């Protein structure tokens, strides 16, 4: 199924808002889970796809030995610009690249890492085949995808609240894309179609998402993700949409600092 351009558009103010608000809310916890798994593979050369604003890149830069070469790529140059501006504690090569057509030689990496990017690939089997192509024999593909939206409480509450604001055409970005690729059998099928013959390692990891207030969480989701594009595309007010999500989160979690469940799968496939 074709992915709308608005679902993969991370530009304008989104990269900065995403990095400042959404990264600490939901992504840092899984960067801390992913980086040690990559380090345990003892790679010498690592490629990251869909690196976004670099939360996993920074975690790997801290965790991997200094001699490991790390190349971080993303389809959206504004996201990489934000990542490079934030920087890492050791050199990283930032490079714009499409995971569907990687500009790297065959068998040139020991590990490929992708945290919460696979859901955005228009053809996941084709993207996985590209990943397999650039992996050396015995190399590993480590990637994370979100579990179903019902197991990710803030996203679920926000999606339900926006359905009340736009009852005839509810914004379903969160349910459709970030939380739309969680079925283990589908993921295993896509990997097998790409040539990953061995059964992948599959871990479901729960964590906690914490925000200073319901407003902070509502702002992160409504204005720091492509959900913003859906709201604006419906001639909706970002301020009103954020306020509605804030009220829904406050009813569910309280008016002070809030805490909700998040859950994701971390998958390791060997070439």
């Amino acid at each position: 199924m074709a992915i709308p351009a608005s679902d993969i558009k991370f530009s304008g103010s989104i990269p900065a808002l995403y990095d400042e608000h959404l990264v600490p809310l939901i992504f840092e916890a899984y960067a801390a889970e992913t980086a040690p798994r990559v380090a345990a593979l003892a790679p010498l050369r690592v490629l990251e796809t869909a690196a976004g604003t670099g939360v996993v890149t920074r975690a790997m830069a801290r965790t991997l030995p200094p001699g490991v070469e790390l190349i971080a790529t993303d389809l959206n140059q504004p996201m990489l610009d934000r990542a490079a501006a934030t920087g890492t504690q050791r050199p990283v090569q930032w490079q714009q690249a499409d995971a569907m057509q990687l500009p790297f030689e065959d068998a040139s990496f020991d590990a490929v890492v992708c945290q919460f990017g696979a859901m955005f690939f228009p053809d996941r089997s084709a993207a996985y085949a590209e990943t397999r192509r650039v992996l050396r024999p015995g190399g590993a593909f480590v990637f994370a995808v979100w579990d179903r939206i019902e197991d990710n409480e803030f996203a679920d509450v926000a999606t339900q609240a926006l359905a009340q604001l736009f009852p005839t055409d509810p914004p379903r970005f969160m349910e459709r894309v970030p939380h739309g690729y969680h079925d283990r059998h589908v993921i295993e099928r896509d990997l097998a179609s790409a040539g990953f013959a061995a059964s992948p390692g599959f871990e479901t990891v729960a964590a906690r998402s914490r925000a200073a207030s319901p407003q902070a969480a509502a702002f992160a989701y409504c204005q720091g993700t492509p959900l913003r594009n859906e709201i604006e595309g419906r001639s909706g007010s970002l301020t009103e949409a954020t306020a509605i999500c804030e009220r829904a989160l406050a009813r569910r979690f309280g008016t002070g600092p809030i805490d909700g469940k998040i859950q994701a799968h971390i998958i390791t496939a060997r070439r």
Side-chain angles (χ1 to χ4, degrees):
M1 183 179 69
I3 295 179
S6 61
D7 282 357
I8 57 175
K9 184 181 179 183
F10 288 80
S11 59
S13 61
I14 290 178
L17 295 175
Y18 173 101
D19 198 40
E20 292 171 12
H21 299 278
L22 206 66
V23 163
L25 187 68
I26 58 174
F27 292 121
E28 283 183 347
Y30 288 99
E33 290 281 349
T34 300
R37 286 168 168 79
V38 178
L41 300 170
L44 297 177
R45 194 165 190 248
V46 176
L47 171 67
E48 184 182 358
T49 58
T53 57
V55 62
V56 180
T57 321
R58 292 189 289 273
M60 290 193 293
R62 293 190 298 268
T63 305
L64 294 171
V68 177
E69 183 180 1
L70 182 55
I71 300 174
T73 67
D74 196 273
L75 179 65
N76 292 279
Q77 186 62 47
M79 297 290 271
L80 289 179
D81 292 342
R82 175 73 185 191
T86 302
T88 55
Q89 65 183 44
R90 66 181 181 88
V92 169
Q93 179 180 328
W94 305 100
Q95 183 172 339
Q96 193 278 333
D98 186 345
M100 305 293 298
Q101 295 179 308
L102 293 171
F104 304 106
E105 295 181 358
D106 295 357
S108 54
F109 293 95
D110 302 298
V112 176
V113 181
C114 182
Q115 178 166 280
F116 304 123
M119 304 88 71
F120 295 88
F121 297 157
D123 183 335
R124 293 170 189 120
S125 290
Y128 296 163
E130 268 294 273
T131 295
R132 186 179 183 278
R133 178 185 66 79
V134 302
L135 276 173
R136 293 175 178 141
F141 177 30
V142 180
F143 66 107
V145 297
W146 291 113
D147 203 347
R148 61 184 193 141
I149 197 167
E150 292 84 356
D151 288 313
N152 290 269
E153 294 177 327
F154 292 172
D156 192 28
V157 169
T159 297
Q160 293 180 40
L162 290 173
Q164 297 174 19
L165 179 62
F166 302 99
T168 61
D169 186 18
R172 295 292 187 190
F173 168 75
M174 297 306 302
E175 182 178 6
R176 182 178 64 253
V177 183
H179 300 285
Y181 185 61
H182 55 78
D183 187 290
R184 176 171 183 163
H185 298 295
V186 172
I187 295 167
E188 290 178 341
R189 180 201 65 197
D190 290 345
L191 286 167
S193 296
F196 287 94
S199 295
F202 203 101
E203 301 173 77
T204 299
V205 181
R208 305 302 296 178
S209 178
R210 297 179 175 87
S213 66
Q215 194 278 335
F219 185 89
Y221 279 102
C222 290
Q223 303 194 34
T225 76
L227 180 57
R228 178 190 186 119
N229 303 328
E230 282 198 321
I231 295 167
E232 293 179 324
R234 287 161 173 75
S235 300
S237 163
L238 278 172
T239 300
E240 183 182 9
T242 303
I244 283 175
C245 289
E246 176 185 353
R247 290 195 292 271
L249 288 163
R251 285 194 298 271
R252 174 79 175 271
F253 300 102
T255 57
I258 61 174
D259 180 301
K261 178 186 177 182
I262 49 177
Q263 188 160 291
H265 307 303
I266 301 178
I267 301 112
T268 302
R270 288 279 189 173
R271 187 187 189 286

